[in-house]
Amino acid sequence: MADQAALFGLVGALGGAVLGAGAAITSPVLTQRYARRERERARQAEEFHRLLGLRRATRKVQQLLDPDTMIRGHAPWDAERFSDEMDAALDALRDAADQVEIYGYAFVHTASSSPPRSTPEEESLRAFVSMATRLMSLTLATSGHTRVGDRPSSMYRERPTEMFERLQEHRRQLLGSLVERMETLKQGAR
C-alpha cells in the first residue's frame, strides 16, 4: 500500500512538472501571438482612420466647389475667402493622401511626377485634384478674380456644372476602392 501511494505521488509530481513546463513554454508563445494580433488590430485601425481622413478631405473640396453651396453659402460671394478655403482644403487633401502612403497608396499629386504604373485609386485622386484646381480657377476667373497662372474664363471649354459632375465622378471612383478597403479593415477588426 505504501509503495502504491508513493507511486501515485511520483506520477502526480511528474504530471504536475510536465504541466508546469508546458505552461512555461506555451505561455510566452500565446502571449506573443496575442500581442501580434493586437498590433495588427491597431495598425488596421490606424489605416482605417487615415483612409477616413482622405475621404473627409475629398468631401470638403467637393463641398466648396459645389455650385449650389456657393450660391447659398456665400452671400455675397467672397472670392478671396473662397480662394483661401480652397487652398486650405487642397493642402489638407494632399496631407491626407500623404498619410496613407505608408499602406501602399502612392498618391502622386501631379501628372508630371507620376510613376509609370499607377493604381486606379491613384489616377482617380490625381484626376480629382486636377479637376478641383481647374474648377477653382474657373470659378475665380468667372467672378473676375484671377491669380498668377490662372487662365481667363474664356479659355475653358467646359461649363462649371459639367466640371463639377466630372469632379464628383472622380471622387466616386476613388471612394469605391477606399470604401472597399475600409470595409475589409472593419471585418478584420472583429
Side-chain angles (χ1 to χ4, degrees), residues 8-24:
F8 283 138
L10 179 63
V11 169
L14 287 175
V18 167
L19 287 175

Side-chain angles (χ1 to χ4, degrees), residues 22-36:
I25 292 171
T26 59
S27 177
V29 170
L30 293 176
T31 302
Q32 287 176 0
R33 183 179 297 160
Y34 177 77
R36 208 173 20 251

Side-chain angles (χ1 to χ4, degrees), residues 43 47 50-51 97-108 115 117-122 178 181:
R43 189 200 66 75
E47 182 180 355
R50 287 180 180 196
L51 291 172
D98 290 342
Q99 291 293 316
V100 298
E101 281 189 3
I102 193 171
Y103 305 110
Y105 299 100
F107 291 122
V108 181
R117 302 176 87 192
S118 57
T119 66
E121 300 91 22
E122 294 164 6
L178 292 184
R181 177 66 183 147

Side-chain angles (χ1 to χ4, degrees), residues 85-140:
E85 287 177 351
M86 276 302 301
D87 287 339
L90 287 171
D91 285 345
L93 174 60
R94 289 181 184 102
D95 288 344
D98 290 342
Q99 291 293 316
V100 298
E101 281 189 3
I102 193 171
Y103 305 110
Y105 299 100
F107 291 122
V108 181
H109 309 294
T110 60
S112 62
S113 60
S114 65
R117 302 176 87 192
S118 57
T119 66
E121 300 91 22
E122 294 164 6
E123 291 174 13
S124 294
L125 181 66
R126 193 170 32 258
F128 180 85
V129 170
S130 173
M131 185 59 64
T133 305
R134 288 177 52 214
L135 185 53
M136 178 178 116
S137 295
L138 175 60
T139 303
L140 289 170

